[in-house]
Amino acid sequence: MTSVWIGLAGPTAAGKTEAALAVARALALDGRPVEVVSVDSALVYRGMDIGTAKPTAAEREEVPHHGLDLLDPHEAYSAARFVADAQAAIDHITARGALPLLVGGTMLYFKALVDGLDAMPEADPDVRAALDAEAAERGWPALHAELARVDPATAARLKPHDAQRIQRALEVFRSSGRPLSSFHRREAAPTGPRPTLISLEPGDRAWLHDRIARRFAAMLAAGFLDEVRRLRARGDLHPGLPSMRAVGYRQAWEALDRNDHAPDLGALSERGIAATRQLAKRQLTWLRGWADRRPVAADAPDAIDQVVQAVRRSL
């Protein structure tokens, strides 16, 4: 069955978790329980808590959360699996008489749930290993040039060193014989009304940049590097995995590669903050292309109250 839900999206560090908890508390007073479904490609991984700003145990005890800690970091997740997992959670939450509130910043997941996606080939470890070997020998710009020949639409939106996305696009092409862009042209959209999407978008980019910097500093103070050290010590993880390509983790892994005992925290912070800013920029670009979203200025003094009221108006 297809259930009604409300989405709360926004760039990283825009205050989505705080706003979601405020919505749940406010609606509880109205007699309408809320359960959160995560829309985040990094929060699915167990043992990746500090660098993903995963909701705390206390927050998860106060408001039920779904879509967290689903996989081990050596596994891969996909938009197709997210749609299946999220729809199952939405149906169960609705059956309990609660409101599903979908919260996160992985915009492809929101789009897949609302508009549908053609079924793409599953991850192929052999193809990925071959691409990694080619990249080590020729470099990712050379593979980007190859992608431009077989899938110019996808290559045009990727930078020559965007290893994760170049690899996935070439993997899809080699596995299926179809360019990745062709899977997004046809939309198998679910029937029924489109869900409400509330979008936290800062009016002042400097406000968001400051929050990103402060959050990265707080993560380091909370033991982020030790978290990455524990992941490295397992021995079965490597920088090519989707989990370890997550913003922050990639930069921390590289810093520990350079000097595990005394990494350059200044350089790590600079790289981590820059990568997070780029992620936020991509997220905002996605959101601003979503014509029927309901934007709320994340940097407004009453931003959380505005989100709560926007949710109430949507019910």
Side-chain angles (χ1 to χ4, degrees), residues 217-242:
M219 288 176 176
L220 289 175
F224 177 43
L225 273 176
D226 288 336
E227 180 175 87
V228 178
R229 282 191 178 98
R230 287 193 294 272
L231 293 166
R232 284 163 59 92
R234 289 175 33 155
D236 63 337
L237 304 179
H238 58 82
L241 291 168

mmCIF file of all heavy atoms in Angstrom, residues 217-242:
data_model
loop_
_atom_site.group_PDB
_atom_site.id
_atom_site.type_symbol
_atom_site.label_atom_id
_atom_site.label_comp_id
_atom_site.label_asym_id
_atom_site.label_seq_id
_atom_site.Cartn_x
_atom_site.Cartn_y
_atom_site.Cartn_z
ATOM 1 N N ALA A 217 34.529 20.480 13.941
ATOM 2 C CA ALA A 217 35.377 20.597 15.127
ATOM 3 C C ALA A 217 34.806 19.778 16.282
ATOM 4 O O ALA A 217 35.550 19.108 17.022
ATOM 5 C CB ALA A 217 35.518 22.061 15.527
ATOM 6 N N ALA A 218 33.486 19.809 16.435
ATOM 7 C CA ALA A 218 32.850 19.045 17.510
ATOM 8 C C ALA A 218 33.020 17.543 17.290
ATOM 9 O O ALA A 218 33.209 16.778 18.253
ATOM 10 C CB ALA A 218 31.371 19.407 17.598
ATOM 11 N N MET A 219 32.971 17.098 16.038
ATOM 12 C CA MET A 219 33.170 15.685 15.740
ATOM 13 C C MET A 219 34.584 15.248 16.114
ATOM 14 O O MET A 219 34.775 14.171 16.713
ATOM 15 C CB MET A 219 32.912 15.420 14.257
ATOM 16 C CG MET A 219 31.458 15.480 13.850
ATOM 17 S SD MET A 219 31.281 15.262 12.058
ATOM 18 C CE MET A 219 29.495 15.247 11.891
ATOM 19 N N LEU A 220 35.572 16.062 15.768
ATOM 20 C CA LEU A 220 36.947 15.724 16.129
ATOM 21 C C LEU A 220 37.098 15.661 17.644
ATOM 22 O O LEU A 220 37.741 14.746 18.180
ATOM 23 C CB LEU A 220 37.913 16.751 15.538
ATOM 24 C CG LEU A 220 38.111 16.703 14.017
ATOM 25 C CD1 LEU A 220 39.009 17.851 13.568
ATOM 26 C CD2 LEU A 220 38.726 15.371 13.591
ATOM 27 N N ALA A 221 36.486 16.602 18.343
ATOM 28 C CA ALA A 221 36.569 16.612 19.805
ATOM 29 C C ALA A 221 35.870 15.406 20.418
ATOM 30 O O ALA A 221 36.244 14.942 21.503
ATOM 31 C CB ALA A 221 35.963 17.902 20.352
ATOM 32 N N ALA A 222 34.865 14.883 19.733
ATOM 33 C CA ALA A 222 34.100 13.744 20.248
ATOM 34 C C ALA A 222 34.755 12.398 19.949
ATOM 35 O O ALA A 222 34.233 11.360 20.352
ATOM 36 C CB ALA A 222 32.693 13.760 19.669
ATOM 37 N N GLY A 223 35.894 12.410 19.236
ATOM 38 C CA GLY A 223 36.606 11.171 18.967
ATOM 39 C C GLY A 223 36.421 10.606 17.579
ATOM 40 O O GLY A 223 36.552 9.397 17.366
ATOM 41 N N PHE A 224 36.150 11.465 16.604
ATOM 42 C CA PHE A 224 35.922 11.002 15.241
ATOM 43 C C PHE A 224 37.114 10.214 14.700
ATOM 44 O O PHE A 224 36.953 9.155 14.081
ATOM 45 C CB PHE A 224 35.598 12.194 14.335
ATOM 46 C CG PHE A 224 35.411 11.851 12.887
ATOM 47 C CD1 PHE A 224 34.686 10.739 12.502
ATOM 48 C CD2 PHE A 224 35.949 12.651 11.887
ATOM 49 C CE1 PHE A 224 34.501 10.424 11.164
ATOM 50 C CE2 PHE A 224 35.770 12.353 10.551
ATOM 51 C CZ PHE A 224 35.045 11.234 10.188
ATOM 52 N N LEU A 225 38.342 10.708 14.930
ATOM 53 C CA LEU A 225 39.504 9.998 14.408
ATOM 54 C C LEU A 225 39.638 8.603 15.016
ATOM 55 O O LEU A 225 40.019 7.648 14.330
ATOM 56 C CB LEU A 225 40.776 10.812 14.656
ATOM 57 C CG LEU A 225 41.126 11.832 13.572
ATOM 58 C CD1 LEU A 225 42.348 12.638 13.976
ATOM 59 C CD2 LEU A 225 41.364 11.138 12.232
ATOM 60 N N ASP A 226 39.332 8.471 16.291
ATOM 61 C CA ASP A 226 39.374 7.145 16.905
ATOM 62 C C ASP A 226 38.319 6.227 16.293
ATOM 63 O O ASP A 226 38.545 5.016 16.137
ATOM 64 C CB ASP A 226 39.166 7.251 18.418
ATOM 65 C CG ASP A 226 40.370 7.833 19.130
ATOM 66 O OD1 ASP A 226 41.494 7.735 18.582
ATOM 67 O OD2 ASP A 226 40.197 8.398 20.224
ATOM 68 N N GLU A 227 37.163 6.784 15.936
ATOM 69 C CA GLU A 227 36.138 5.991 15.260
ATOM 70 C C GLU A 227 36.668 5.461 13.934
ATOM 71 O O GLU A 227 36.482 4.277 13.604
ATOM 72 C CB GLU A 227 34.888 6.837 15.034
ATOM 73 C CG GLU A 227 33.760 6.101 14.334
ATOM 74 C CD GLU A 227 32.492 6.939 14.233
ATOM 75 O OE1 GLU A 227 32.365 7.705 13.252
ATOM 76 O OE2 GLU A 227 31.644 6.832 15.141
ATOM 77 N N VAL A 228 37.342 6.323 13.173
ATOM 78 C CA VAL A 228 37.890 5.889 11.887
ATOM 79 C C VAL A 228 39.037 4.902 12.107
ATOM 80 O O VAL A 228 39.195 3.937 11.347
ATOM 81 C CB VAL A 228 38.339 7.106 11.058
ATOM 82 C CG1 VAL A 228 38.949 6.658 9.733
ATOM 83 C CG2 VAL A 228 37.156 8.039 10.792
ATOM 84 N N ARG A 229 39.838 5.112 13.137
ATOM 85 C CA ARG A 229 40.912 4.149 13.444
ATOM 86 C C ARG A 229 40.330 2.754 13.708
ATOM 87 O O ARG A 229 40.887 1.747 13.259
ATOM 88 C CB ARG A 229 41.711 4.613 14.658
ATOM 89 C CG ARG A 229 42.715 5.724 14.381
ATOM 90 C CD ARG A 229 43.642 5.913 15.573
ATOM 91 N NE ARG A 229 44.637 6.940 15.319
ATOM 92 C CZ ARG A 229 44.534 8.204 15.742
ATOM 93 N NH1 ARG A 229 43.453 8.579 16.448
ATOM 94 N NH2 ARG A 229 45.471 9.076 15.472
ATOM 95 N N ARG A 230 39.228 2.697 14.435
ATOM 96 C CA ARG A 230 38.606 1.400 14.714
ATOM 97 C C ARG A 230 38.125 0.739 13.427
ATOM 98 O O ARG A 230 38.243 -0.484 13.251
ATOM 99 C CB ARG A 230 37.438 1.573 15.689
ATOM 100 C CG ARG A 230 37.866 1.868 17.118
ATOM 101 C CD ARG A 230 36.715 1.727 18.096
ATOM 102 N NE ARG A 230 35.675 2.726 17.881
ATOM 103 C CZ ARG A 230 35.666 3.932 18.446
ATOM 104 N NH1 ARG A 230 36.665 4.297 19.239
ATOM 105 N NH2 ARG A 230 34.673 4.785 18.223
ATOM 106 N N LEU A 231 37.577 1.527 12.533
ATOM 107 C CA LEU A 231 37.125 0.981 11.255
ATOM 108 C C LEU A 231 38.311 0.476 10.425
ATOM 109 O O LEU A 231 38.241 -0.597 9.816
ATOM 110 C CB LEU A 231 36.344 2.045 10.483
ATOM 111 C CG LEU A 231 35.005 2.469 11.105
ATOM 112 C CD1 LEU A 231 34.486 3.746 10.458
ATOM 113 C CD2 LEU A 231 33.973 1.350 10.987
ATOM 114 N N ARG A 232 39.393 1.230 10.420
ATOM 115 C CA ARG A 232 40.595 0.814 9.676
ATOM 116 C C ARG A 232 41.186 -0.462 10.267
ATOM 117 O O ARG A 232 41.674 -1.332 9.528
ATOM 118 C CB ARG A 232 41.638 1.932 9.719
ATOM 119 C CG ARG A 232 41.346 3.106 8.805
ATOM 120 C CD ARG A 232 42.171 4.329 9.202
ATOM 121 N NE ARG A 232 43.598 4.109 9.158
ATOM 122 C CZ ARG A 232 44.388 4.344 8.111
ATOM 123 N NH1 ARG A 232 43.845 4.794 6.988
ATOM 124 N NH2 ARG A 232 45.680 4.143 8.165
ATOM 125 N N ALA A 233 41.137 -0.576 11.593
ATOM 126 C CA ALA A 233 41.768 -1.713 12.275
ATOM 127 C C ALA A 233 41.069 -3.031 11.963
ATOM 128 O O ALA A 233 41.664 -4.103 12.162
ATOM 129 C CB ALA A 233 41.787 -1.472 13.777
ATOM 130 N N ARG A 234 39.841 -2.989 11.489
ATOM 131 C CA ARG A 234 39.136 -4.225 11.149
ATOM 132 C C ARG A 234 39.873 -5.023 10.081
ATOM 133 O O ARG A 234 39.850 -6.242 10.070
ATOM 134 C CB ARG A 234 37.726 -3.915 10.658
ATOM 135 C CG ARG A 234 36.787 -3.428 11.721
ATOM 136 C CD ARG A 234 35.443 -3.028 11.147
ATOM 137 N NE ARG A 234 34.995 -3.810 9.997
ATOM 138 C CZ ARG A 234 33.741 -3.976 9.642
ATOM 139 N NH1 ARG A 234 32.782 -3.405 10.356
ATOM 140 N NH2 ARG A 234 33.416 -4.690 8.591
ATOM 141 N N GLY A 235 40.464 -4.316 9.125
ATOM 142 C CA GLY A 235 41.225 -4.978 8.076
ATOM 143 C C GLY A 235 40.442 -5.337 6.837
ATOM 144 O O GLY A 235 41.044 -5.711 5.821
ATOM 145 N N ASP A 236 39.108 -5.258 6.893
ATOM 146 C CA ASP A 236 38.304 -5.631 5.730
ATOM 147 C C ASP A 236 37.699 -4.430 5.022
ATOM 148 O O ASP A 236 36.927 -4.587 4.073
ATOM 149 C CB ASP A 236 37.196 -6.602 6.129
ATOM 150 C CG ASP A 236 36.194 -5.988 7.110
ATOM 151 O OD1 ASP A 236 36.570 -5.020 7.804
ATOM 152 O OD2 ASP A 236 35.046 -6.484 7.193
ATOM 153 N N LEU A 237 38.029 -3.230 5.467
ATOM 154 C CA LEU A 237 37.506 -2.014 4.844
ATOM 155 C C LEU A 237 38.623 -1.315 4.080
ATOM 156 O O LEU A 237 39.796 -1.463 4.399
ATOM 157 C CB LEU A 237 36.919 -1.079 5.902
ATOM 158 C CG LEU A 237 35.819 -1.664 6.796
ATOM 159 C CD1 LEU A 237 35.353 -0.627 7.814
ATOM 160 C CD2 LEU A 237 34.643 -2.162 5.967
ATOM 161 N N HIS A 238 38.223 -0.538 3.082
ATOM 162 C CA HIS A 238 39.208 0.207 2.289
ATOM 163 C C HIS A 238 38.550 1.474 1.754
ATOM 164 O O HIS A 238 37.309 1.590 1.738
ATOM 165 C CB HIS A 238 39.756 -0.649 1.145
ATOM 166 C CG HIS A 238 38.692 -1.162 0.205
ATOM 167 N ND1 HIS A 238 38.169 -0.405 -0.816
ATOM 168 C CD2 HIS A 238 38.037 -2.361 0.152
ATOM 169 C CE1 HIS A 238 37.266 -1.096 -1.477
ATOM 170 N NE2 HIS A 238 37.155 -2.292 -0.904
ATOM 171 N N PRO A 239 39.346 2.433 1.292
ATOM 172 C CA PRO A 239 38.784 3.734 0.879
ATOM 173 C C PRO A 239 37.862 3.678 -0.322
ATOM 174 O O PRO A 239 37.148 4.642 -0.583
ATOM 175 C CB PRO A 239 40.036 4.572 0.568
ATOM 176 C CG PRO A 239 41.148 3.897 1.279
ATOM 177 C CD PRO A 239 40.809 2.444 1.284
ATOM 178 N N GLY A 240 37.847 2.576 -1.058
ATOM 179 C CA GLY A 240 36.977 2.488 -2.219
ATOM 180 C C GLY A 240 35.546 2.122 -1.910
ATOM 181 O O GLY A 240 34.683 2.218 -2.787
ATOM 182 N N LEU A 241 35.265 1.709 -0.680
ATOM 183 C CA LEU A 241 33.900 1.330 -0.319
ATOM 184 C C LEU A 241 32.993 2.553 -0.209
ATOM 185 O O LEU A 241 33.444 3.620 0.222
ATOM 186 C CB LEU A 241 33.900 0.585 1.013
ATOM 187 C CG LEU A 241 34.524 -0.812 1.013
ATOM 188 C CD1 LEU A 241 34.705 -1.298 2.444
ATOM 189 C CD2 LEU A 241 33.638 -1.789 0.234
ATOM 190 N N PRO A 242 31.718 2.425 -0.560
ATOM 191 C CA PRO A 242 30.812 3.575 -0.418
ATOM 192 C C PRO A 242 30.793 4.149 0.993
ATOM 193 O O PRO A 242 30.726 5.368 1.171
ATOM 194 C CB PRO A 242 29.448 2.984 -0.799
ATOM 195 C CG PRO A 242 29.774 1.860 -1.722
ATOM 196 C CD PRO A 242 31.061 1.274 -1.201
#
